[in-house]
Coordinates of all heavy atoms in Angstrom, one line a residue:
M1 N 12.0 -5.9 2.6 CA 10.6 -6.4 2.6 C 9.9 -5.8 1.3 O 10.0 -4.6 1.1 CB 9.9 -5.9 3.8 CG 8.5 -6.3 3.9 SD 7.8 -5.7 5.5 CE 6.2 -6.5 5.3
P2 N 9.3 -6.7 0.5 CA 8.6 -6.2 -0.6 C 7.5 -5.3 -0.3 O 6.8 -5.3 0.8 CB 8.1 -7.5 -1.3 CG 8.4 -8.6 -0.4 CD 9.1 -8.1 0.8
E3 N 7.2 -4.4 -1.2 CA 6.1 -3.4 -1.0 C 4.8 -4.1 -1.0 O 4.5 -5.0 -1.8 CB 6.2 -2.3 -2.1 CG 5.4 -1.1 -1.8 CD 5.6 0.0 -2.7 OE1 6.8 0.3 -3.0 OE2 4.7 0.7 -3.1
L4 N 3.9 -3.6 -0.1 CA 2.6 -4.2 0.0 C 1.6 -3.6 -0.9 O 1.7 -2.3 -1.1 CB 2.1 -4.0 1.5 CG 0.8 -4.5 1.9 CD1 0.8 -6.0 1.9 CD2 0.4 -4.0 3.3
A5 N 0.8 -4.3 -1.6 CA -0.2 -3.8 -2.5 C -1.6 -3.8 -1.8 O -1.9 -4.8 -1.0 CB -0.3 -4.7 -3.7
L6 N -2.4 -2.8 -2.0 CA -3.7 -2.8 -1.4 C -4.5 -4.0 -1.7 O -5.2 -4.5 -0.8 CB -4.4 -1.5 -1.9 CG -5.8 -1.2 -1.3 CD1 -5.7 -1.0 0.2 CD2 -6.4 0.0 -2.0
S7 N -4.4 -4.6 -2.9 CA -5.1 -5.8 -3.2 C -4.8 -7.0 -2.4 O -5.5 -7.9 -2.4 CB -4.9 -6.1 -4.7 OG -3.6 -6.3 -5.0
E8 N -3.6 -6.9 -1.7 CA -3.2 -8.1 -0.9 C -3.9 -8.1 0.5 O -3.8 -9.1 1.2 CB -1.7 -8.0 -0.7 CG -0.9 -8.2 -1.9 CD 0.6 -8.1 -1.7 OE1 1.2 -9.1 -1.3 OE2 1.1 -7.0 -1.9
L9 N -4.5 -7.0 0.9 CA -5.1 -6.9 2.2 C -6.5 -7.6 2.2 O -7.2 -7.6 1.2 CB -5.4 -5.5 2.6 CG -4.1 -4.6 2.8 CD1 -4.5 -3.2 3.1 CD2 -3.2 -5.2 3.8
K10 N -6.8 -8.4 3.3 CA -8.0 -9.2 3.4 C -8.6 -9.0 4.8 O -7.9 -8.7 5.7 CB -7.7 -10.7 3.2 CG -6.9 -11.1 1.9 CD -7.8 -11.0 0.7 CE -7.0 -11.4 -0.5 NZ -7.0 -10.5 -1.6
Q11 N -9.9 -9.1 4.9 CA -10.5 -9.1 6.1 C -9.9 -10.1 7.1 O -9.6 -11.2 6.6 CB -12.1 -9.3 6.0 CG -12.8 -8.1 5.5 CD -14.3 -8.4 5.4 OE1 -14.7 -9.5 5.2 NE2 -15.1 -7.4 5.6
G12 N -9.8 -9.7 8.3 CA -9.2 -10.6 9.3 C -7.7 -10.5 9.5 O -7.2 -11.0 10.5
M13 N -7.0 -9.9 8.5 CA -5.6 -9.8 8.7 C -5.3 -8.8 9.8 O -6.1 -7.8 10.0 CB -4.9 -9.2 7.3 CG -4.8 -10.2 6.3 SD -3.9 -9.4 4.9 CE -3.4 -10.8 4.0
V14 N -4.1 -8.9 10.4 CA -3.7 -8.0 11.4 C -2.6 -7.1 10.8 O -1.6 -7.7 10.3 CB -3.1 -8.7 12.7 CG1 -2.6 -7.7 13.7 CG2 -4.3 -9.5 13.4
I15 N -2.8 -5.8 10.8 CA -1.8 -4.9 10.3 C -1.1 -4.1 11.4 O -1.7 -4.0 12.5 CB -2.5 -3.9 9.2 CG1 -3.6 -3.1 9.9 CG2 -3.0 -4.7 8.1 CD1 -4.1 -1.9 9.1
V16 N 0.0 -3.6 11.1 CA 0.8 -2.7 11.9 C 0.8 -1.3 11.2 O 1.1 -1.3 10.0 CB 2.2 -3.2 12.2 CG1 2.9 -2.2 13.1 CG2 2.1 -4.5 12.8
Y17 N 0.5 -0.2 11.9 CA 0.4 1.0 11.2 C 0.8 2.2 12.1 O 1.0 2.0 13.3 CB -1.0 1.3 10.7 CG -2.1 1.4 11.7 CD1 -2.5 2.6 12.3 CD2 -2.6 0.2 12.2 CE1 -3.5 2.6 13.3 CE2 -3.6 0.2 13.2 CZ -4.0 1.4 13.7 OH -5.0 1.5 14.7
L18 N 1.1 3.3 11.5 CA 1.5 4.5 12.3 C 0.5 5.5 12.2 O -0.3 5.6 11.2 CB 2.8 5.1 11.7 CG 4.1 4.2 11.7 CD1 5.2 4.8 10.9 CD2 4.5 3.8 13.1
M19 N 0.4 6.4 13.2 CA -0.5 7.6 13.1 C -0.1 8.5 12.0 O 1.1 8.6 11.8 CB -0.6 8.2 14.5 CG -1.3 7.4 15.5 SD -1.4 8.3 17.1 CE -2.7 9.4 16.7
R20 N -1.0 9.3 11.5 CA -0.7 10.3 10.4 C -0.1 11.5 11.1 O -0.5 11.8 12.3 CB -1.9 10.7 9.7 CG -2.5 9.6 8.8 CD -3.7 10.0 8.0 NE -4.8 10.7 8.7 CZ -5.7 10.2 9.3 NH1 -5.9 8.9 9.3 NH2 -6.6 10.9 10.0
P21 N 0.8 12.2 10.6 CA 1.4 13.4 11.1 C 0.4 14.5 11.6 O 0.5 15.1 12.6 CB 2.4 13.9 10.1 CG 2.7 12.7 9.2 CD 1.5 11.9 9.2
E22 N -0.6 14.6 10.7 CA -1.7 15.6 11.1 C -2.5 15.3 12.3 O -3.2 16.1 12.8 CB -2.6 15.9 9.9 CG -3.3 14.7 9.3 CD -2.6 14.0 8.2 OE1 -1.3 14.1 8.0 OE2 -3.2 13.2 7.5
E23 N -2.3 14.0 12.8 CA -3.0 13.6 14.1 C -2.2 14.1 15.3 O -2.5 13.9 16.4 CB -3.2 12.1 14.1 CG -4.2 11.7 13.1 CD -4.4 10.2 13.1 OE1 -3.5 9.5 12.7 OE2 -5.5 9.7 13.5
L24 N -0.9 14.7 15.0 CA 0.0 15.1 16.0 C 0.2 14.1 17.1 O 0.1 14.4 18.3 CB -0.6 16.5 16.6 CG -0.9 17.6 15.6 CD1 -1.5 18.7 16.4 CD2 0.4 18.0 14.9
P25 N 0.7 13.0 16.7 CA 1.0 11.9 17.7 C 2.2 12.3 18.6 O 3.2 12.9 18.2 CB 1.4 10.7 16.9 CG 1.9 11.3 15.6 CD 1.1 12.5 15.3
T26 N 2.0 12.0 19.9 CA 3.1 12.3 20.9 C 4.3 11.5 20.5 O 5.4 11.9 20.7 CB 2.6 11.9 22.3 OG1 1.4 12.7 22.5 CG2 3.6 12.3 23.3
Y27 N 4.1 10.2 20.1 CA 5.2 9.3 19.7 C 4.9 8.8 18.3 O 4.3 7.8 18.1 CB 5.2 8.1 20.7 CG 5.4 8.5 22.1 CD1 4.3 8.5 23.0 CD2 6.6 8.9 22.6 CE1 4.5 8.9 24.3 CE2 6.8 9.3 23.9 CZ 5.7 9.3 24.8 OH 5.9 9.7 26.0
P28 N 5.4 9.6 17.3 CA 5.1 9.3 15.9 C 5.6 7.9 15.5 O 5.0 7.3 14.5 CB 5.8 10.4 15.1 CG 6.3 11.3 16.1 CD 6.2 10.7 17.5
E29 N 6.6 7.4 16.1 CA 7.2 6.0 15.7 C 6.4 4.9 16.4 O 6.7 3.7 16.1 CB 8.7 6.0 16.1 CG 9.0 5.9 17.5 CD 8.8 7.3 18.3 OE1 8.7 8.3 17.7 OE2 8.9 7.2 19.5
L30 N 5.5 5.2 17.2 CA 4.7 4.1 18.0 C 3.9 3.3 16.9 O 3.1 3.9 16.2 CB 3.8 4.7 19.0 CG 2.9 3.7 19.8 CD1 3.8 2.8 20.6 CD2 1.9 4.5 20.7
E31 N 4.0 2.0 17.0 CA 3.3 1.2 16.1 C 2.0 0.7 16.7 O 1.9 0.3 17.8 CB 4.1 -0.1 15.7 CG 5.4 0.3 15.0 CD 6.2 -1.0 14.6 OE1 5.9 -2.1 15.1 OE2 7.2 -0.8 13.8
W32 N 0.9 0.8 15.9 CA -0.4 0.4 16.3 C -0.8 -0.9 15.6 O -0.3 -1.1 14.4 CB -1.4 1.5 16.0 CG -1.2 2.7 16.8 CD1 -0.3 3.7 16.6 CD2 -1.9 3.0 18.0 NE1 -0.4 4.7 17.6 CE2 -1.4 4.3 18.5 CE3 -2.9 2.4 18.8 CZ2 -1.8 4.9 19.7 CZ3 -3.3 3.0 19.9 CH2 -2.8 4.2 20.4
H33 N -1.6 -1.7 16.2 CA -2.0 -3.0 15.6 C -3.6 -3.0 15.5 O -4.3 -2.6 16.4 CB -1.6 -4.1 16.5 CG -0.1 -4.1 16.7 ND1 0.5 -3.3 17.7 CD2 0.9 -4.8 16.1 CE1 1.8 -3.5 17.6 NE2 2.1 -4.3 16.7
G34 N -4.0 -3.5 14.3 CA -5.4 -3.6 14.1 C -5.8 -4.7 13.2 O -5.0 -5.1 12.3
K35 N -7.0 -5.3 13.5 CA -7.5 -6.4 12.7 C -8.5 -5.8 11.7 O -9.4 -5.1 12.0 CB -8.2 -7.4 13.6 CG -8.7 -8.6 12.9 CD -9.4 -9.6 13.9 CE -9.9 -10.8 13.2 NZ -10.5 -11.7 14.1
I36 N -8.3 -6.1 10.4 CA -9.1 -5.5 9.3 C -10.5 -6.0 9.4 O -10.7 -7.2 9.4 CB -8.5 -5.8 7.9 CG1 -7.1 -5.2 7.8 CG2 -9.4 -5.3 6.8 CD1 -6.3 -5.5 6.5
K37 N -11.5 -5.1 9.4 CA -12.9 -5.4 9.4 C -13.5 -5.2 8.1 O -14.3 -5.9 7.6 CB -13.6 -4.6 10.5 CG -13.2 -4.9 11.9 CD -13.9 -4.0 12.9 CE -15.4 -4.2 12.9 NZ -16.1 -3.5 14.0
E38 N -13.1 -4.1 7.4 CA -13.6 -3.7 6.1 C -12.5 -3.0 5.3 O -11.6 -2.4 5.8 CB -14.7 -2.6 6.3 CG -16.0 -3.1 7.0 CD -16.9 -3.9 6.1 OE1 -16.8 -3.8 4.8 OE2 -17.6 -4.8 6.7
I39 N -12.6 -3.2 4.0 CA -11.6 -2.6 3.1 C -12.4 -1.7 2.1 O -13.4 -2.2 1.5 CB -10.8 -3.7 2.3 CG1 -10.1 -4.6 3.3 CG2 -9.9 -3.1 1.3 CD1 -9.5 -5.8 2.7
C40 N -12.0 -0.5 2.0 CA -12.6 0.4 1.0 C -11.5 0.8 0.0 O -10.8 1.7 0.1 CB -13.1 1.7 1.7 SG -14.0 2.7 0.6
N41 N -11.4 0.0 -1.1 CA -10.4 0.1 -2.2 C -10.5 1.5 -2.8 O -9.5 2.1 -3.1 CB -10.5 -0.9 -3.2 CG -10.1 -2.3 -2.7 OD1 -9.1 -2.4 -2.0 ND2 -10.8 -3.3 -3.1
C42 N -11.7 2.0 -3.0 CA -11.8 3.3 -3.8 C -11.2 4.5 -3.0 O -10.8 5.4 -3.6 CB -13.3 3.5 -4.2 SG -14.4 3.6 -2.8
L43 N -11.3 4.4 -1.7 CA -10.7 5.5 -0.8 C -9.4 5.1 -0.2 O -8.8 5.9 0.5 CB -11.7 5.8 0.3 CG -13.1 6.3 -0.1 CD1 -14.0 6.4 1.1 CD2 -13.0 7.6 -0.8
H44 N -8.9 3.9 -0.5 CA -7.6 3.5 0.0 C -7.6 3.5 1.5 O -6.6 4.0 2.1 CB -6.4 4.3 -0.6 CG -6.2 4.0 -2.0 ND1 -5.3 4.7 -2.8 CD2 -6.8 3.2 -2.9 CE1 -5.4 4.3 -4.0 NE2 -6.3 3.4 -4.1
L45 N -8.7 3.0 2.1 CA -8.8 3.0 3.6 C -9.2 1.6 4.0 O -9.8 0.8 3.2 CB -10.0 3.9 4.0 CG -9.8 5.4 3.9 CD1 -11.1 6.0 4.2 CD2 -8.8 5.9 4.8
V46 N -8.8 1.2 5.2 CA -9.3 0.0 5.9 C -9.9 0.4 7.2 O -9.4 1.4 7.9 CB -8.2 -1.1 6.0 CG1 -7.8 -1.6 4.7 CG2 -7.0 -0.6 6.8
E47 N -10.9 -0.3 7.6 CA -11.5 -0.1 8.9 C -10.9 -1.2 9.8 O -11.0 -2.4 9.4 CB -13.0 -0.1 9.0 CG -13.6 0.0 10.4 CD -15.1 -0.1 10.4 OE1 -15.7 -0.3 9.4 OE2 -15.6 0.0 11.5
V48 N -10.3 -0.9 10.9 CA -9.7 -1.9 11.8 C -10.3 -1.8 13.2 O -10.7 -0.8 13.6 CB -8.1 -1.8 11.9 CG1 -7.5 -1.9 10.5 CG2 -7.8 -0.5 12.5
E49 N -10.3 -3.0 13.8 CA -10.5 -3.0 15.3 C -9.1 -3.0 15.9 O -8.3 -3.8 15.7 CB -11.2 -4.4 15.6 CG -11.4 -4.5 17.1 CD -12.0 -5.8 17.5 OE1 -12.6 -6.5 16.6 OE2 -11.9 -6.2 18.6
I50 N -9.0 -1.9 16.8 CA -7.7 -1.7 17.4 C -7.4 -2.8 18.4 O -8.3 -3.2 19.2 CB -7.6 -0.3 18.1 CG1 -7.9 0.8 17.1 CG2 -6.3 -0.1 18.8 CD1 -8.0 2.1 17.7
L51 N -6.2 -3.4 18.4 CA -5.8 -4.5 19.2 C -4.9 -4.1 20.4 O -4.7 -4.9 21.3 CB -5.1 -5.6 18.4 CG -6.0 -6.2 17.2 CD1 -5.1 -7.1 16.5 CD2 -7.2 -6.8 17.7
D52 N -4.5 -2.9 20.4 CA -3.5 -2.5 21.5 C -4.2 -2.3 22.8 O -5.4 -1.8 22.9 CB -2.8 -1.2 21.0 CG -2.0 -1.4 19.8 OD1 -1.0 -2.2 19.9 OD2 -2.3 -0.8 18.8
E53 N -3.5 -2.7 23.9 CA -4.1 -2.6 25.3 C -4.6 -1.2 25.5 O -3.9 -0.2 25.2 CB -2.9 -2.9 26.2 CG -3.5 -3.1 27.6 CD -2.4 -3.6 28.6 OE1 -1.5 -4.3 28.2 OE2 -2.5 -3.3 29.8
G54 N -5.7 -1.1 26.1 CA -6.4 0.2 26.5 C -7.2 0.7 25.3 O -8.0 1.7 25.6
Y55 N -7.1 0.2 24.2 CA -7.9 0.6 23.0 C -8.7 -0.5 22.4 O -9.3 -0.3 21.3 CB -7.0 1.3 22.0 CG -6.3 2.5 22.5 CD1 -5.1 2.5 23.1 CD2 -6.9 3.8 22.5 CE1 -4.4 3.6 23.6 CE2 -6.3 4.9 23.0 CZ -5.0 4.8 23.5 OH -4.4 5.9 24.0
Q56 N -8.6 -1.7 23.0 CA -9.3 -2.8 22.4 C -10.7 -2.6 22.2 O -11.4 -2.0 23.1 CB -9.0 -4.1 23.2 CG -7.6 -4.5 23.3 CD -7.1 -5.0 24.6 OE1 -7.6 -4.6 25.6 NE2 -6.1 -5.9 24.6
G57 N -11.3 -3.1 21.1 CA -12.7 -2.9 20.8 C -13.0 -1.7 20.1 O -14.1 -1.5 19.6
Y58 N -12.1 -0.7 20.0 CA -12.4 0.5 19.3 C -12.1 0.3 17.8 O -11.2 -0.5 17.5 CB -11.6 1.7 19.8 CG -12.0 2.3 21.1 CD1 -11.3 1.8 22.3 CD2 -13.1 3.1 21.2 CE1 -11.7 2.4 23.5 CE2 -13.5 3.6 22.4 CZ -12.8 3.2 23.6 OH -13.2 3.7 24.8
D59 N -12.8 1.0 17.0 CA -12.5 0.9 15.5 C -11.9 2.2 15.0 O -12.1 3.3 15.6 CB -13.8 0.8 14.7 CG -14.5 -0.6 14.9 OD1 -13.8 -1.5 15.5 OD2 -15.6 -0.8 14.5
E60 N -11.1 2.1 14.0 CA -10.4 3.2 13.4 C -10.2 3.1 11.9 O -10.1 1.9 11.4 CB -9.0 3.3 14.1 CG -8.2 4.5 13.6 CD -6.9 4.8 14.4 OE1 -6.3 3.8 14.9 OE2 -6.6 5.9 14.5
L61 N -10.3 4.2 11.2 CA -10.0 4.2 9.8 C -8.5 4.4 9.6 O -8.0 5.3 10.1 CB -10.8 5.2 9.0 CG -12.4 5.0 9.0 CD1 -13.0 6.2 8.4 CD2 -12.7 3.7 8.3
V62 N -7.9 3.5 8.8 CA -6.5 3.7 8.5 C -6.3 3.8 7.0 O -6.8 3.0 6.2 CB -5.8 2.4 9.0 CG1 -4.3 2.4 8.7 CG2 -6.0 2.2 10.5
C63 N -5.5 4.8 6.7 CA -5.1 5.0 5.3 C -4.1 4.0 4.9 O -3.2 3.6 5.6 CB -4.6 6.4 5.0 SG -5.6 7.8 5.4
F64 N -4.2 3.5 3.6 CA -3.2 2.5 3.1 C -1.8 3.0 3.4 O -0.9 2.1 3.7 CB -3.5 2.2 1.6 CG -2.6 1.2 1.1 CD1 -2.6 -0.1 1.5 CD2 -1.6 1.6 0.1 CE1 -1.7 -1.0 0.9 CE2 -0.7 0.7 -0.4 CZ -0.8 -0.6 0.0
E65 N -1.5 4.3 3.2 CA -0.1 4.8 3.3 C 0.4 4.6 4.8 O 1.6 4.7 5.0 CB -0.1 6.2 2.9 CG -0.3 6.4 1.4 CD -1.8 6.4 1.0 OE1 -2.7 6.7 1.9 OE2 -2.1 6.1 -0.1
Q66 N -0.5 4.5 5.8 CA -0.1 4.4 7.1 C 0.4 2.9 7.5 O 1.1 2.8 8.5 CB -1.3 4.7 8.1 CG -1.7 6.1 8.1 CD -3.0 6.2 9.0 OE1 -4.1 6.3 8.5 NE2 -2.8 6.2 10.3
I67 N 0.0 2.0 6.7 CA 0.3 0.6 7.0 C 1.8 0.3 6.7 O 2.3 0.6 5.6 CB -0.6 -0.3 6.2 CG1 -2.0 -0.1 6.5 CG2 -0.2 -1.8 6.4 CD1 -3.0 -0.8 5.5
I68 N 2.5 -0.3 7.7 CA 3.9 -0.5 7.5 C 4.2 -2.0 7.3 O 5.2 -2.4 6.7 CB 4.8 0.0 8.6 CG1 4.3 -0.4 10.0 CG2 4.8 1.6 8.6 CD1 5.2 0.0 11.1
R69 N 3.3 -2.9 7.8 CA 3.4 -4.3 7.5 C 2.2 -5.0 7.9 O 1.3 -4.5 8.6 CB 4.7 -4.9 8.2 CG 4.6 -4.9 9.7 CD 5.9 -5.5 10.3 NE 5.8 -5.5 11.7 CZ 6.2 -4.5 12.5 NH1 6.6 -3.4 12.0 NH2 6.1 -4.6 13.8
V70 N 2.1 -6.3 7.5 CA 1.1 -7.2 8.0 C 1.7 -8.2 9.0 O 2.8 -8.6 8.7 CB 0.6 -8.0 6.8 CG1 -0.4 -9.1 7.2 CG2 -0.2 -7.1 5.8
E71 N 1.1 -8.4 10.1 CA 1.6 -9.3 11.1 C 1.4 -10.7 10.7 O 0.4 -11.1 10.1 CB 0.9 -9.1 12.4 CG 1.3 -7.8 13.2 CD 2.6 -7.9 13.8 OE1 2.7 -8.6 14.9 OE2 3.6 -7.4 13.3
C72 N 2.4 -11.5 11.0 CA 2.3 -13.0 10.7 C 1.6 -13.6 11.9 O 2.0 -13.4 13.0 CB 3.6 -13.6 10.5 SG 4.5 -13.0 9.0
I73 N 0.6 -14.3 11.7 CA -0.2 -15.0 12.7 C 0.0 -16.5 12.6 O -0.3 -17.1 11.5 CB -1.7 -14.6 12.7 CG1 -1.9 -13.1 12.8 CG2 -2.5 -15.4 13.7 CD1 -3.3 -12.7 12.6
K74 N 0.5 -17.1 13.6 CA 0.7 -18.6 13.6 C -0.6 -19.2 13.9 O -1.4 -18.9 14.8 CB 1.7 -19.0 14.7 CG 3.1 -18.5 14.4 CD 4.1 -18.9 15.4 CE 5.4 -18.3 15.1 NZ 6.5 -18.7 16.0
Q75 N -1.0 -20.2 13.0 CA -2.3 -20.9 13.2 C -2.0 -22.3 13.6 O -1.1 -22.9 13.4 CB -3.0 -20.8 11.9 CG -3.4 -19.4 11.5 CD -4.2 -19.3 10.3 OE1 -4.8 -20.3 9.8 NE2 -4.4 -18.1 9.8

């Protein structure tokens, strides 16, 4: 898979990301899903609305380095 560039991210995209090690995740390999609401290029952050069950509707800041892929959405 080609490496993702920050400039390729757009509002509305669904990303898959991992928690940062300093957050001490119980399951570090657990993939989280979020819909991009805002992009802050200067800080290399995106604000996402979490899509995973039990966390829907919550927002989270995700570092670009946490993103492992963009989900393909069939339209």
Side-chain angles (χ1 to χ4, degrees):
M1 178 176 186
E3 193 168 316
L4 182 67
L6 183 61
S7 62
E8 295 177 85
L9 298 177
K10 307 286 182 234
Q11 283 183 326
M13 283 183 162
V14 175
I15 60 168
V16 179
Y17 60 98
L18 300 174
M19 292 182 72
R20 294 185 309 273
E22 57 269 19
E23 294 177 293
L24 303 174
T26 304
Y27 303 102
E29 68 285 347
L30 181 65
E31 295 181 351
W32 292 83
H33 303 81
K35 183 176 181 180
I36 298 177
K37 293 176 69 173
E38 294 284 334
I39 301 169
C40 185
N41 288 321
C42 60
L43 296 176
H44 293 176
L45 293 172
V46 294
E47 179 183 1
V48 299
E49 177 183 343
I50 302 172
L51 301 175
D52 296 296
E53 190 174 329
Y55 297 92
Q56 293 143 330
Y58 288 99
D59 292 348
E60 181 170 33
L61 293 176
V62 176
C63 297
F64 179 68
E65 294 78 25
Q66 291 175 258
I67 301 171
I68 54 176
R69 68 179 178 275
V70 174
E71 284 285 284
C72 295
I73 301 174
K74 295 182 182 182
Q75 298 186 10

